[in-house]
Amino acid sequence: MDLYEKLLEGKEKLSLVGLGYVGMPIAVAFARKIKVVGFDLNEKKIGLYKSGIDPTNEVGNQAIKDTAVEFTADPAKLREAKFHIVAVPTPVNHDHTPDLSPVEGASRILGQNLSKGSVVVFESTVYPGVTEEICVPILEKESGLTCGVDFKVGYSPERINPGDKVHRLETIVKIVSGMDEETLDTVAEVYGLVVEAGVHRAQSIKVAEAAKVIENSQRDINIAFMNELSIIFNKMEIDTKAVLEAAGTKWNFLKFSPGLVGGHCIGVDPYYLTYKAEELGYHSQIILSGRRINDDMGKYVAESLVKNLIKADIHVKGAHVAILGFTFKENCPDTRNTKVIDIYRELGEYGITPMVVDPAADAEEAEHLYGITFEGMEAVKEMDAVVVAVAHEQFSALKEKAIAGFFKQGQKKVLVDIKGICCRKEFEDAGYLYWRL
């Protein structure tokens, strides 16, 4: 009887190492089919899951209450599983070099609790070679076992889109890979249990690693192009959104929009690829150029707001500004690597301390990471300028009358609508100084 059959019959368990926005939904999905151990070092997070609370809002509290996942912060529980999935973040350091400490740490813990006959699959986004050249040696050292003899490895890049209720684990084709044909078959069969869209068998682990890292690099470059167009068209006093709507009528026009590029995928993954390229003697031109444009957009937005304050004859230093939205994307509580912080900090350089409002965000996380305390919507009044930074449902539903109540009366209302969720004509007709990317 092979490992897949043993999992199906409940004779073996699957473990999920890392229960964040990616790992937790995977654990919940597998638990509908087989026995699952969900492990995370964060005891507070484990406590919330055990209490039936989903702090990520990815599957919801009811799904957490109903799930059969055995949530634990005890590494020894990993010894009960034979099929292991590692889904920990892979951020970058301040100098934009890869920070592999989370995946190395997870490999260390897993290695200390690895048993013969196990299969380990990594989902974390990395540059080609990390799984076999960095993670495997750690697993071998900590376990005393030999890869290829005592245990096998594979790689299946995560494609979950936080906050997206349409494109889920079950509905996105899953790339799978293994160190040999037998491992590939096992990995494909196991993921086939939960991925309704099917699996794509990559030729090798390195191919699967490369496929993942270029997915987000491609998006990053396309968004950078849109951001550059926005800068150009704003100088020409042409509305970028109107231009893109017109161009989008052609069947093969790629429909991307300008915006802030944050989070732990699109704004991070390209640096993994360019880092490896640098090691091999090639300096990226297109990828890093796109990164520079996107990394500077928060500063560009802040400068544009200041220019509009001046245009409206409003004193810049000490101006009352509210920022609506702080997460890296809409309808998601995650504030890690948000680029809204760049707007906040740049405005501080002009003597402005903005008020930040975000009913969807993880307020505790934001205070811990950035030292920012959120205000409630009721506090947004007597403002000189308002920045709609994130297209949360709560903000998209706001009408002009409600937004007008945010401002001081008797002066120009400066509205910066980064995502273009408001009707430009309606607000300009109402006398606003309206600006968007």
Side-chain angles (χ1 to χ4, degrees), residues 107-349:
S107 299
R108 205 166 289 117
I109 290 171
L110 185 53
Q112 292 163 2
N113 297 279
L114 198 62
S115 57
K116 285 187 177 183
S118 294
V119 173
V120 181
V121 180
F122 290 87
E123 289 219 2
S124 306
T125 305
V126 292
Y127 56 78
V130 168
T131 299
E132 293 158 296
E133 296 164 16
I134 294 177
C135 297
V136 166
I138 294 174
L139 291 171
E140 289 183 323
K141 180 184 176 183
E142 297 295 336
S143 66
L145 303 175
T146 302
C147 185
V149 178
D150 301 313
F151 70 93
K152 302 290 184 74
V153 296
Y155 181 80
S156 180
E158 60 88 2
R159 281 175 157 176
I160 288 175
N161 186 23
D164 191 334
K165 303 305 178 186
V166 177
H167 301 99
R168 312 300 300 146
L169 171 69
E170 296 84 356
T171 62
I172 305 170
V173 173
K174 198 82 166 78
I175 296 173
V176 294
S177 65
M179 63 183 298
D180 52 36
E181 284 300 319
E182 180 187 24
T183 309
L184 177 57
D185 287 341
T186 301
V187 175
E189 285 180 318
V190 171
Y191 276 105
L193 283 171
V194 294
V195 182
E196 297 163 8
V199 300
H200 172 84
R201 297 179 179 227
Q203 288 182 4
S204 68
I205 288 175
K206 284 186 178 179
V207 165
E209 289 169 327
K212 169 58 182 174
V213 83
I214 71 162
E215 287 175 15
N216 285 329
S217 297
Q218 183 188 63
R219 286 183 58 78
D220 194 43
I221 292 164
N222 277 292
I223 296 169
F225 176 48
M226 294 298 114
N227 280 332
E228 188 165 59
L229 290 179
S230 175
I231 294 168
I232 293 169
F233 291 144
N234 268 311
K235 288 183 178 295
M236 294 179 176
E237 297 185 349
I238 299 172
D239 184 49
T240 307
K241 189 174 182 180
V243 174
L244 295 178
E245 286 173 354
T249 58
K250 190 180 181 189
W251 77 92
N252 61 353
F253 184 80
L254 302 179
K255 296 186 178 180
F256 287 87
S257 301
L260 303 176
V261 184
H264 34 273
C265 291
I266 301 178
V268 170
D269 296 355
Y271 287 123
Y272 274 73
L273 185 57
T274 57
Y275 171 83
K276 189 61 180 177
E278 291 272 6
E279 272 195 343
L280 299 172
Y282 179 77
H283 180 74
S284 164
Q285 298 178 64
I286 292 176
I287 299 172
L288 286 179
S289 176
R291 279 281 75 232
R292 282 192 295 273
I293 291 171
N294 288 340
D295 275 345
D296 286 344
M297 289 309 289
K299 181 180 180 181
Y300 172 68
V301 169
E303 288 173 347
S304 299
L305 183 147
V306 168
K307 288 176 182 178
N308 278 290
L309 285 174
I310 294 168
K311 198 181 294 185
D313 292 323
I314 297 171
H315 192 62
V316 173
K317 186 176 181 180
H320 293 87
V321 176
I323 297 177
L324 306 187
F326 192 75
T327 60
F328 84 90
K329 67 178 294 185
E330 62 274 8
N331 307 319
C332 173
D334 199 349
T335 65
R336 291 173 299 169
N337 199 31
T338 176
K339 291 303 175 184
V340 181
I341 188 63
D342 293 348
I343 301 173
Y344 181 93
R345 289 170 176 163
E346 188 66 22
L347 289 176
E349 295 292 315

Side-chain angles (χ1 to χ4, degrees), residues 79-118:
R79 297 173 190 170
E80 298 177 9
K82 274 293 199 311
F83 192 99
H84 304 276
I85 297 175
V86 179
V88 295
T90 41
V92 291
N93 297 306
H94 290 300
D95 62 356
H96 295 148
T97 56
D99 176 7
L100 293 174
S101 58
V103 75
E104 289 172 341
S107 299
R108 205 166 289 117
I109 290 171
L110 185 53
Q112 292 163 2
N113 297 279
L114 198 62
S115 57
K116 285 187 177 183
S118 294

